[in-house]
Amino acid sequence: MSGCVFCGIVTGEVPAFRVADTPDGVAFLDTRPVFKGHVLVVPRVHLVTLAELPGDLLPDYFAMVQRLAVAVETALGAGGTFVAMNNKVSQSVPHLHTHVVPRTKGDGLRGFFWPRTRYDDDTEAQTYADRIATALPGVPDSASRG
């Protein structure tokens, strides 16, 4: 969809720190992560809400989200992950996306208040993207900025 930043990332017109790029979707680092290594997973097609995701795409899309949750935990030595999706309300970009956030015990995340941070620079962001992509089971290395 014209003007959608996530569609631009999917097509490569908007730069992003990609973690995975598969037929099932694209995963990339959130530019304002809750914690470093926070990944967004988006379907390749422009949809706004979960209700719009066709049933035949559900299994593969959520299998990708599941693989990313494992990869984030493995790559970053996290104690677990927080996986979430907003539909319309609090959806800063109107394109369906799933958050995969690394968690550690005592990290301070409480309820639905999500403090945001930033990467020190592009090199640090690319390092996080590369680490997660390398730990992603069943997907060839696809991390790149672009």
Side-chain angles (χ1 to χ4, degrees), residues 34-108:
V34 174
F35 299 115
K36 293 176 181 179
H38 177 168
V39 174
L40 299 177
V41 184
V42 301
R44 299 191 75 78
V45 296
H46 181 81
L47 307 165
V48 176
T49 66
L50 181 59
E52 297 172 18
L53 186 64
D56 61 323
L57 299 181
L58 278 168
D60 292 336
Y61 178 76
F62 280 103
M64 182 176 186
V65 171
Q66 181 182 46
R67 289 191 311 271
L68 263 298
V70 170
V72 164
E73 187 174 334
T74 300
L76 305 180
T81 57
F82 175 68
V83 178
M85 178 186 295
N86 291 307
N87 279 289
K88 297 180 191 172
V89 175
S90 294
Q91 192 177 19
S92 59
V93 175
H95 184 122
L96 179 68
H97 56 283
T98 306
H99 298 261
V100 180
V101 181
R103 297 292 313 272
T104 56
K105 187 173 176 83
D107 61 18

Side-chain angles (χ1 to χ4, degrees), residues 100-145:
V100 180
V101 181
R103 297 292 313 272
T104 56
K105 187 173 176 83
D107 61 18
L109 187 61
R110 297 214 185 330
F112 287 96
F113 174 69
W114 294 15
R116 298 299 185 125
T117 188
R118 294 208 180 271
Y119 293 96
D120 293 336
D121 53 31
D122 286 356
T123 301
E124 182 185 38
Q126 188 64 56
T127 298
Y128 273 83
D130 292 344
R131 287 170 61 191
I132 296 165
T134 299
L136 190 59
V139 178
D141 181 18
S142 57
S144 67
R145 184 168 198 245

